[in-house]
Amino acid sequence: MDATTLLANHANASRRTSVLTTDDDTISVRAKVFEGDDHTVLQIRAWLDELGHYMHVYFDATTGSLLVSTTGKQDQDAFDRAANELQRRGIRL
């Protein structure tokens, strides 16, 4: 199995991009942290060109456990599915 490194694009002015991509832009990845009173959630979202889908994965940042994983043709679809499942479990983003 080959490995590919994900790299951030060069900075525009003083702001560094938060998107990691493959050289050919077939995969791009972002990460975000949601902090609340009861939970800290790490979101990793990726565009997978080969599948034509976004993939969202959410982890409990305290325990490292997987909370939910979703996909969608649109980024918002994947986010909405994940947010609904997390809300069902009592976690609001």
Side-chain angles (χ1 to χ4, degrees):
M1 180 178 291
D2 294 331
T4 300
T5 302
L6 299 173
L7 299 171
N9 292 330
H10 292 287
N12 291 334
S14 63
R15 185 178 170 112
R16 185 148 188 89
T17 181
S18 60
V19 180
L20 301 177
T21 62
T22 54
D23 289 339
D24 59 3
D25 290 328
T26 57
I27 297 175
S28 64
V29 179
R30 289 180 185 250
K32 188 179 209 178
V33 174
F34 294 90
E35 294 185 76
D37 294 337
D38 298 334
H39 292 87
T40 300
V41 176
L42 170 64
Q43 172 203 56
I44 299 173
R45 62 183 184 163
W47 167 255
L48 305 171
D49 198 56
E50 189 172 323
L51 297 177
H53 280 81
Y54 285 91
M55 185 170 101
H56 285 223
V57 183
Y58 295 78
F59 296 95
D60 183 311
T62 304
T63 65
S65 62
L66 175 65
L67 297 171
V68 65
S69 174
T70 61
T71 61
K73 288 266 187 196
Q74 301 293 319
D75 188 41
Q76 191 65 47
D77 294 338
F79 176 81
D80 290 343
R81 286 187 189 105
N84 289 338
E85 176 57 22
L86 290 170
Q87 185 173 354
R88 188 183 72 77
R89 296 178 186 200
I91 301 170
R92 291 182 162 240
L93 297 180

